[in-house]
Amino acid sequence: KAGVTQTPRYLIKTRGQQVTLSCSPISGHRSVSWYQQTPGQGLQFLFEYFSETQRNKGNFPGRFSGRQFSNSRSEMNVSTLELGDSALYLCASSMGSGAADTQYFGPGTRLTVL
Amino acid sequence: EDKVVQSPLSLVVHEGDTVTLNCSYEVTNFRSLLWYKQEKKAPTFLFMLTSSGIEKKSGRLSSILDKKELFSILNITATQTGDSAIYLCALGRNTGTASKLTFGTGTRLQVTL
């Protein structure tokens, strides 16, 4: 089975712009979770989507949003970018049956905000 | 709030050594504890632990969970340079059907020749 894929792999934006990241889960996986990884804060949970619905959300401002499509692919959007949004954004997919699931990670999108 | 603390923060060992990485946690409604290895980009899954005292093993790596004392350890025997990575511990909380992992800050392991 193909693994989790994320596009683009690298992105450079300037402050105030917006960005959309994409994640395609492992075939058959219905849950997609997004995480932000920075050197100072480590891996932090952004949100989780299952069956096109957000069912869990972390402590991030409303500038961070996402959606999921009927084929389970997910997108994450960050509006009005700030310097502090520079990070590695990882998505993870799982079957979606709950917290006993194993989440499998994609390679990440490295976002740099100038 | 859920809390995951990993120790040590970093470790340098010689090839062939055995290492033990620690993960302690505080959580309500514990469901699972997972270990991941992160080398360059994507964390790769190592183990999921849900029951106390049952060792999970894969080659030179093994892990065990103690739900009474709220910790887990990851052992790596006969370390190799390819084991150099950040090892992440993550907690899965039972929130019904929702999935959410809370990660520790990781242990950076460097294996030297």
Side-chain angles (χ1 to χ4, degrees), chain A residues 9-10 31 33 35 37 43 45 48 55-56 88 90 94 96-107 110, chain B residues 1 31-32 34 36 38 40-43 45 48 50 88 92-105:
Chain A
R9 295 291 307 278
Y10 301 90
S31 168
S33 297
Y35 295 84
Q37 188 174 31
L43 263 158
F45 174 77
E48 184 218 1
R55 68 177 182 181
N56 210 348
L88 180 66
L90 292 160
S94 67
S97 52
D101 273 350
T102 298
Q103 293 189 19
Y104 296 92
F105 284 84
R110 170 75 62 188
Chain B
E1 190 177 317
R31 187 63 184 94
S32 58
L34 296 89
Y36 288 87
Q38 187 174 27
K40 298 277 191 209
K41 289 285 193 292
F45 171 74
M48 174 188 274
T50 56
L88 296 163
R93 178 150 73 89
N94 195 351
T95 59
T97 54
S99 297
K100 174 190 172 184
L101 294 179
T102 301
F103 281 85
T105 51

Side-chain angles (χ1 to χ4, degrees), chain B residues 5-85:
Chain B
V5 178
Q6 292 187 246
S7 63
L9 290 180
S10 68
L11 195 53
V12 181
V13 301
H14 294 295
E15 205 172 41
D17 287 350
T18 293
V19 297
T20 298
L21 310 183
N22 302 290
C23 174
S24 63
Y25 64 89
E26 294 173 20
V27 67
T28 45
N29 298 321
F30 172 91
R31 187 63 184 94
S32 58
L33 187 144
L34 296 89
W35 285 96
Y36 288 87
K37 175 183 181 183
Q38 187 174 27
E39 293 176 84
K40 298 277 191 209
K41 289 285 193 292
T44 53
F45 171 74
L46 294 174
F47 299 111
M48 174 188 274
L49 304 156
T50 56
S51 301
S52 266
I54 298 174
E55 185 184 51
K56 292 275 183 99
K57 198 168 168 62
S58 175
R60 297 176 294 103
L61 277 66
S62 64
S63 184
I64 197 160
L65 173 68
D66 186 327
K67 287 167 74 173
K68 184 180 175 187
E69 299 298 330
L70 307 183
F71 76 91
S72 173
I73 59 171
L74 175 68
N75 275 321
I76 309 174
T77 59
T79 51
Q80 302 171 357
T81 54
D83 295 327
S84 297

Side-chain angles (χ1 to χ4, degrees), chain A residues 26-99:
Chain A
I26 292 170
S27 177
H29 284 190
R30 296 172 64 194
S31 168
V32 174
S33 297
W34 288 90
Y35 295 84
Q36 181 196 66
Q37 188 174 31
T38 58
Q41 299 294 321
L43 263 158
Q44 291 190 292
F45 174 77
L46 281 154
F47 29 65
E48 184 218 1
Y49 285 87
F50 179 83
S51 290
E52 302 177 65
T53 301
Q54 186 185 91
R55 68 177 182 181
N56 210 348
K57 191 176 188 307
N59 297 323
F60 278 81
R63 299 185 298 105
F64 292 81
S65 63
R67 60 177 175 166
Q68 187 180 35
F69 302 94
S70 57
N71 61 359
S72 294
R73 189 177 71 85
S74 176
E75 286 182 349
M76 189 191 101
N77 185 276
V78 188
S79 62
T80 319
L81 283 166
E82 299 177 0
L83 294 178
D85 297 333
S86 295
L88 180 66
Y89 290 89
L90 292 160
C91 86
S93 79
S94 67
M95 295 294 288
S97 52

Side-chain angles (χ1 to χ4, degrees), chain A residues 17-29:
Chain A
Q17 287 187 308
Q18 77 164 20
V19 66
T20 299
L21 312 181
S22 181
C23 173
S24 293
I26 292 170
S27 177
H29 284 190

